[in-house]
Amino acid sequence: MKNKQTVLIVDDIADNLNVIANILIQQDLNVIIAQSGREGINTAIRSMPDLILLDIMMPEMDGFEACRIIKSNNQISEIPVIFLTAKTEKQSLIKGFNLGAVDFISKPFLEAELIARVKTHLDLRDSKLKLEHTQKKNKAILDNVADAIFIHDANGSLLEINKITETRLGYSRQEILLMNLKDISNSENFTSFTSDIELVKKKGSITFESLQKTKNGKLIPSEISVTLINFDGEEAFLSVARDITERKKNEDKIKKLSIAVEQSPASIVITDLNGNIEYVNPIFEKLTGYNSDEVIGQNARILKSQNANPIIFDELWKTISSGKTWEGEFTNKRKNGDEFIESALIAPIKNDEGIITSYIAIKEEITERKKAESKLIDAKRELEKKNKNIISSIEYAEVIQKAALPTEAYLTQFLPSNFVLNIPKDIVSGDFYWIKQIQNQIFIVAADCTGHGVPGAFMSMLGIAYLNEIVYNFEQDEELKANEILDLLRKQIKSSLHQDRRKETVSNGMDLALCIINIEDKTMQYAGANSPLFLLRKNTEREKHDLYHYKPDSMPISVHIKEKPFQNNYIDLKSDDIIYLFSDGFIDQIGGEKNRKFLTKNFKQLLLDNCSKPMSEQKEILMDTFYKWIADKKQIDDVLIVGFKISESYGDIEYF
């Protein structure tokens, strides 16, 4: 169904607008209006009408000025403009046409005249657009053809070319269209041009080979097909030039092929359709012990071993006789009776009509390789057995590691509203979380150990053991400070791993965030080793949450070049505050359409978007987001996120 055409009417008098609009609407046209020149220009840019009716006499900006601006704007300059005016003097008409108007309609106008002029110019515009579309389509077709295309007259003057012609010959379009075919043809090949043209006129088309000359003088072997055509109402010729450089090279390759076959390190045999040998190369003679005179005319079965699998040969003949290539291995015998194993590719040879005329076998002796493969298979089985035992040990280590982590029930005892998202990269993880409660204080840790898998898991067990030892060694009435715990943990790790920043030592350790919640006065301490803490607090005025980013000290729990005591942060808590501790595994994961890191800013927004949801639902959203982000890519690190909400009260907690 054809879309309605749109007419923009620009007139400062409302009655004029209404009268013209009603007339055009009755002609099934869309009508938009504007009451000033400036408004008309903006409306034209916005709506892109098919025709503009423009009044000349308007305040501020008259129709002439509006038309000038329209025609100077590339976006709307092609829209036809008809002036509406009572000014019919010759000077005004000339000025309007010079500005780009296509017509004038005098006021007062006749309805029939208005309709006729509007429809005439709409039809003209429609025809012009269709013609431009057809020309663009035809040009696109020509430009996407792989062959060079020339349209020329009987004298060789070039009338049109496609894009590949410019690329192939090295000339610009403007340069080529000023040239003659003889300028881009080898002089020896151009001598018969006149007779060729007469032959085309007689037969309609011809095909021949020639050499085309590029701008830098290179000669390109080409197959040229010339056809008689009608171009813009005149007799012309369409020449399609196909680059046959590769075809010519192939002719040289064929010459070289026989040499390559003779000198090939592979055994090559050619047989007829019945398997009778027609050709063997020197390697065949060396491999089998037969010379060519002994086997040519013999059937290839003379090589067949009594131990060969008949099923393989049945499949071979069934495959190649159907026109397909067969690949496989079989056992043959030499002239002296010794057996050997060959890897073979056997294919049919077809003529130009696609009919099979013979078969070619390209074979390689693989007897020693098969012996080596057998040894590799035995070694692989042994390796798989050992690998299975190792995996079994790691899986048992996973059970032990999970047993060392707090259970969900244990967490909920101290933090009623919480979640833990723990996604190891391997079977066991280098990330761990830890929670203890002593007196009126709850200790929560989220840690990211150096490495992942088994090394990370060993480090995590070390971290858990030392944290337990540190907090239990404090006196019952002694105030525990988060930064001092990190200082002591670092001291223990360095001692255990014999780390000394003055010497070249292993810098394994961990990044860690520790917070201590005082459940009586609702305060929290936070200390971090390369691991931040996010606090989300509801803003009652905006009815949204604000995110507070508490930054850690830029050093790990291990030896460090700029080692100093860890800093403590004191935070006053409010009911329903949400705390998030996490490793960098989620933030640094590569994924998404652009194959980049998830990044901290996106992680923050993800938390803000979902922090009002129950903690269990937040965990599912985070997990779902992570796996959608990673898609088919590889997980690069362990992922740990611990989230919990501060309760109004913690009731009666059994201190220990």
Side-chain angles (χ1 to χ4, degrees):
M1 181 178 174
K2 185 177 179 181
N3 294 328
K4 288 184 179 181
Q5 292 175 298
T6 300
V7 178
L8 168 61
I9 309 170
V10 184
D11 198 316
D12 60 322
I13 300 175
D15 289 343
N16 290 346
L17 290 172
N18 292 333
V19 170
I20 298 172
N22 287 333
I23 292 171
L24 297 183
I25 289 171
Q26 290 176 11
Q27 299 303 311
D28 200 27
L29 297 171
N30 285 328
V31 175
I32 50 179
I33 62 174
Q35 291 190 285
S36 71
R38 182 66 60 192
E39 183 186 354
I41 293 167
N42 293 334
T43 302
I45 293 171
R46 185 172 60 253
S47 303
M48 295 300 295
D50 296 291
L51 179 68
I52 300 173
L53 297 179
L54 181 59
D55 185 30
I56 292 179
M57 302 299 293
M58 292 185 293
E60 296 183 10
M61 179 187 292
D62 64 15
F64 289 137
E65 178 62 15
C67 183
R68 185 191 66 77
I69 294 173
I70 289 170
K71 293 303 174 180
S72 64
N73 186 311
N74 291 334
Q75 187 176 349
I76 56 175
S77 61
E78 294 300 317
I79 300 173
V81 175
I82 298 177
F83 278 126
L84 300 171
T85 181
K87 300 177 69 174
T88 58
E89 63 273 13
K90 187 175 181 180
Q91 185 176 358
S92 295
L93 296 177
I94 293 173
K95 181 177 181 180
F97 285 126
N98 286 337
L99 287 171
V102 297
D103 207 347
F104 277 81
I105 297 177
S106 300
K107 295 181 182 179
F109 56 81
L110 296 175
E111 180 177 335
E113 179 189 5
L114 173 68
I115 295 170
R117 290 181 183 273
V118 167
K119 285 195 170 183
T120 295
H121 288 290
L122 286 174
D123 289 343
L124 287 173
R125 176 169 171 76
D126 188 50
S127 298
K128 179 182 177 184
L129 292 175
K130 287 180 180 177
L131 178 60
E132 290 175 351
H133 175 72
T134 301
Q135 290 174 337
K136 287 180 181 178
K137 183 171 68 174
N138 292 339
K139 186 69 166 63
I141 293 172
L142 289 177
D143 285 342
N144 282 282
V145 172
D147 298 326
I149 294 178
F150 308 85
I151 297 176
H152 56 88
D153 62 18
N155 298 315
S157 297
L158 291 164
L159 309 174
E160 185 58 85
I161 60 167
N162 66 344
K163 191 68 178 177
I164 193 67
T165 303
E166 301 177 56
T167 305
R168 183 179 297 175
L169 300 182
Y171 292 101
S172 69
R173 174 182 172 81
Q174 291 76 14
E175 288 176 316
I176 295 178
L177 292 180
L178 294 174
M179 300 168 73
N180 190 282
L181 276 178
K182 65 181 179 182
D183 299 320
I184 55 173
S185 299
N186 186 29
S187 57
E188 295 178 3
N189 297 99
F190 196 74
T191 55
S192 62
F193 176 76
T194 303
S195 58
D196 288 342
I197 288 297
E198 292 304 318
L199 190 58
V200 174
K201 290 180 180 180
K202 182 179 178 180
K203 299 180 64 175
S205 65
I206 62 170
T207 300
F208 56 91
E209 290 187 8
S210 181
L211 293 172
Q212 289 191 307
K213 187 167 58 178
T214 67
K215 189 174 184 177
N216 62 14
K218 178 183 176 183
L219 296 177
I220 301 175
S222 303
E223 180 184 80
I224 300 177
S225 297
V226 185
T227 304
L228 183 65
I229 64 169
N230 182 294
F231 183 73
D232 288 342
E234 299 289 338
E235 180 184 77
F237 300 87
L238 174 69
S239 291
V240 179
R242 175 162 296 174
D243 185 345
I244 57 172
T245 304
E246 291 303 315
R247 184 195 300 177
K248 292 297 182 181
K249 288 180 180 178
N250 287 338
E251 293 175 359
D252 291 335
K253 288 180 182 178
I254 292 172
K255 294 177 183 178
K256 295 174 182 176
L257 181 60
S258 60
I259 299 174
V261 169
E262 288 289 314
Q263 298 178 0
S264 170
S267 169
I268 298 177
V269 180
I270 298 176
T271 74
D272 64 16
L273 297 180
N274 296 315
N276 297 317
I277 297 173
E278 296 179 335
Y279 169 83
V280 296
N281 72 341
I283 289 295
F284 171 90
E285 296 177 309
K286 181 179 179 181
L287 177 64
T288 65
Y290 292 101
N291 62 47
S292 60
D293 292 338
E294 291 178 289
V295 294
I296 289 177
Q298 297 288 329
N299 194 279
R301 71 172 66 95
I302 65 169
L303 301 170
K304 188 175 178 181
S305 167
Q306 291 181 347
N307 296 319
N309 188 340
I311 296 176
I312 291 177
F313 285 91
D314 289 343
E315 178 190 343
L316 185 161
W317 279 104
K318 183 179 179 181
T319 301
I320 62 177
S321 61
S322 67
K324 299 177 182 177
T325 299
W326 182 90
E327 289 186 71
E329 300 171 0
F330 46 66
T331 301
N332 274 337
K333 66 177 180 179
R334 309 183 203 275
K335 184 178 179 179
N336 64 9
D338 291 344
E339 292 187 341
F340 63 100
I341 303 172
E342 286 187 300
S343 171
L345 183 150
I346 305 176
I349 299 174
K350 301 178 182 180
N351 61 20
D352 292 341
E353 287 73 38
I355 298 172
I356 300 173
T357 59
S358 52
Y359 300 109
I360 181 170
I362 303 171
K363 303 183 291 180
E364 177 187 4
E365 183 186 5
I366 57 170
T367 307
E368 294 302 319
R369 185 201 302 173
K370 296 300 289 186
K371 291 178 182 178
E373 286 177 357
S374 179
K375 292 180 181 179
L376 284 174
I377 290 171
D378 292 340
K380 180 174 180 288
R381 289 190 184 123
E382 182 64 24
L383 185 62
E384 287 174 346
K385 182 179 178 181
K386 292 180 179 179
N387 188 52
K388 184 178 180 181
N389 292 335
I390 293 171
I391 294 296
S392 178
S393 298
I394 295 174
E395 288 174 343
Y396 189 68
E398 178 190 19
V399 174
I400 296 173
Q401 185 183 43
K402 286 183 177 179
L405 297 174
T407 64
E408 183 178 349
Y410 188 81
L411 281 169
T412 307
Q413 177 183 353
F414 308 112
L415 303 170
S417 182
N418 76 84
F419 75 80
V420 175
L421 178 61
N422 188 17
I423 308 175
K425 177 184 181 294
D426 301 312
I427 297 174
V428 290
S429 175
D431 291 356
F432 73 88
Y433 55 98
W434 176 84
I435 183 168
K436 292 293 178 187
Q437 181 258 316
I438 297 179
Q439 297 296 332
N440 64 334
Q441 292 181 313
I442 300 173
F443 300 72
I444 306 102
V445 163
D448 180 359
C449 298
T450 303
H452 39 72
V454 174
F458 274 122
M459 187 63 68
S460 72
M461 298 300 290
L462 199 63
I464 291 171
Y466 283 145
L467 284 168
N468 285 327
E469 179 182 330
I470 290 168
V471 297
Y472 285 129
N473 283 341
F474 274 89
E475 298 295 333
Q476 291 292 322
D477 58 349
E478 187 176 355
E479 181 185 1
L480 297 173
K481 293 184 179 179
N483 62 321
E484 293 177 356
I485 292 175
L486 295 197
D487 290 334
L488 289 170
L489 179 59
R490 177 171 60 189
K491 182 178 180 181
Q492 293 277 45
I493 293 293
K494 287 171 59 180
S495 175
S496 297
L497 300 181
H498 307 292
Q499 293 178 344
D500 188 340
R501 63 181 176 178
R502 294 169 298 179
K503 301 177 182 178
E504 186 175 341
T505 56
V506 178
S507 59
N508 293 325
M510 63 192 73
D511 296 336
L512 181 147
L514 165 65
C515 57
I516 305 175
I517 300 173
N518 188 313
I519 59 178
E520 290 185 351
D521 61 11
K522 286 243 184 109
T523 59
M524 180 174 70
Q525 300 177 48
Y526 156 70
N530 285 332
S531 189
L533 176 147
F534 291 170
L535 183 151
L536 272 68
R537 176 171 293 165
K538 190 168 185 179
N539 187 321
T540 54
E541 294 181 1
R542 298 192 303 123
E543 296 186 354
K544 291 184 178 180
H545 282 77
D546 295 326
L547 188 150
Y548 298 90
H549 183 159
Y550 291 90
K551 295 183 179 180
D553 288 301
S554 296
M555 52 186 176
I557 303 294
S558 71
V559 67
H560 190 256
I561 192 169
K562 293 183 179 180
E563 206 170 289
K564 60 182 179 180
F566 286 96
Q567 301 299 308
N568 213 10
N569 296 271
Y570 289 92
I571 305 167
D572 291 325
L573 298 174
K574 294 184 179 181
S575 297
D576 294 330
D577 282 352
I578 307 173
I579 311 298
Y580 296 98
L581 309 175
F582 48 88
S583 67
D584 58 6
F586 197 111
I587 292 168
D588 287 346
Q589 177 60 48
I590 300 296
E593 293 180 359
K594 297 183 179 179
N595 200 31
R596 56 177 177 78
K597 292 183 178 182
F598 193 82
L599 301 179
T600 301
K601 66 175 183 178
N602 295 322
F603 183 61
K604 287 180 177 180
Q605 192 59 51
L606 183 61
L607 296 178
L608 284 167
D609 291 342
N610 297 283
C611 63
S612 298
K613 295 180 174 67
M615 302 303 281
S616 60
E617 188 175 342
Q618 289 188 45
K619 177 181 177 179
E620 292 300 320
I621 291 171
L622 286 165
M623 183 183 299
D624 184 59
T625 301
F626 180 76
Y627 283 119
K628 285 182 178 177
W629 178 259
I630 195 172
D632 58 350
K633 297 176 181 63
K634 188 177 180 181
Q635 184 175 342
I636 63 173
D637 200 359
D638 301 316
V639 172
L640 174 64
I641 305 173
V642 178
F644 57 90
K645 184 180 289 188
I646 303 301
S647 300
E648 179 68 31
S649 65
Y650 287 85
D652 296 327
I653 294 180
E654 182 180 350
Y655 296 152
F656 59 91

